[in-house]
Amino acid sequence: MAVDMKRRLARGVAVIAIALGAGQLVQSMSGKAPAPRAAENQIDTKPKAIKRVAATDTAAVKPAPMVTLAAPAEAVPKPPVAASVTAPKAAETAPVAAQKPSLPEVATTPAAKAEAPLQAVAEACPVSLDLSAADNAMIAITLIAPCHANERVVLKHAGLTVTAKTTLTGALFADLPALEQNARVEVMFKDATLATAEIAVPDLAGMRRFAVQWQQDDAFQLHGFEDGSDFGGPGDVSAATPHQPIAGAPAKGGFMTLLGDATTDLPMLAQVYTYPETTTAKPEVVLEAAVTPATCGRELLGQTLQTSADAVKISDIALAMPECDAVGDYLVLKNLVPEMTIAAN
């Protein structure tokens, strides 16, 4: 009897246990888990950031804004600051690019700054020097220099140096006797700048030239006596009777060319005697200096220039003039080709 009661009691306990287990199984299959377990699972799976926020207020764990803080990094939108930084950079780049052409002016060296005004002046004041070969081995000079108007200039060629003066428009038209077949002419302005040009003068091969040059009051007079002539004779080629050939025609004999502008400051003057190389009767070249109140009692200085096949021969002259009681007399230098002697007249 006692045994039968024990078996019944054990069977009842087993039925209760099975019933409880079946109920749990039904709830699991329905997808409804007990609320306490669901709450415990949510807390365990929250990120640490949520736990820090929930430390002060557990109710703050559930709102949606807290969930956005725990979103992955790539899901978080980029801060608007990034756009505001790149936009100004793009805006600043455009003005800098537009200013690039002016940067070289800011970064110019002192030498570049000094060259810029000079270049501007050169462009505003062009100088043109043209040479052309004229009859009888002459060089025709055409100078255009607008910024050197009415100015004293110096013409140089093979040791020959004379002064000239530009017009009111800065032009100059002059003729120089060529002393070299490959002629080079320089024009020096008041500011010491130079204009140069070259030209070939093949006609010089059939001619000989003798010149004398001086400054200011140190005056000389050159004569070429042809056909046995003397002072004042028909064959006396001098400043008084230059025997200049007709324009456009070759010279039949010797002729004198007077060079230099005596109206300029410190004038530099010259006389050039030209005669044919092939003439059988060589002319006599004579140089004289007049005794005047401006030349008496002092020394005259000058130079002679003589052409040859090789080069121009240049010789200095230092002539001691008589005292002023000899005013009206002349000192004459004869036999200048090939040598000099002094004679008094």
Side-chain angles (χ1 to χ4, degrees), residues 196-216:
T196 63
E198 298 181 359
I199 191 172
V201 189
D203 292 348
L204 183 61
M207 299 180 179
R208 295 286 301 275
R209 281 180 165 138
F210 187 93
V212 60
Q213 61 185 10
W214 67 91
Q215 291 186 13
Q216 212 157 356

Side-chain angles (χ1 to χ4, degrees), residues 162-180:
V162 296
T163 54
K165 194 173 185 179
T166 60
T167 65
L168 294 177
T169 60
L172 175 66
F173 305 96
D175 293 330
L176 281 182
L179 302 182
E180 295 177 337

Side-chain angles (χ1 to χ4, degrees), residues 134-138 175 207 209 237 241-257 272 274-275:
D135 294 330
N136 302 304
M138 299 292 290
D175 293 330
M207 299 180 179
R209 281 180 165 138
V237 182
T241 54
H243 291 198
Q244 279 285 327
I246 299 174
K252 296 181 179 180
F255 61 92
M256 191 73 64
T257 305
V272 182
T274 301
Y275 55 96

Side-chain angles (χ1 to χ4, degrees), residues 145-186:
C147 290
H148 297 279
N150 197 32
E151 181 178 315
R152 174 188 184 269
V153 296
V154 179
L155 307 180
K156 297 182 178 182
H157 164 58
L160 183 65
T161 307
V162 296
T163 54
K165 194 173 185 179
T166 60
T167 65
L168 294 177
T169 60
L172 175 66
F173 305 96
D175 293 330
L176 281 182
L179 302 182
E180 295 177 337
Q181 293 190 41
N182 296 320
R184 176 185 176 88
V185 176
E186 293 183 352

Side-chain angles (χ1 to χ4, degrees), residues 272-290:
V272 182
Y273 172 54
T274 301
Y275 55 96
E277 171 69 22
T278 57
T279 183
T280 56
K282 297 295 183 183
E284 182 183 7
V285 178
V286 175
L287 191 63
E288 65 178 2

Side-chain angles (χ1 to χ4, degrees), residues 77-89:
K78 293 183 179 180
V81 178
S84 63
V85 172
T86 56
K89 285 185 178 179

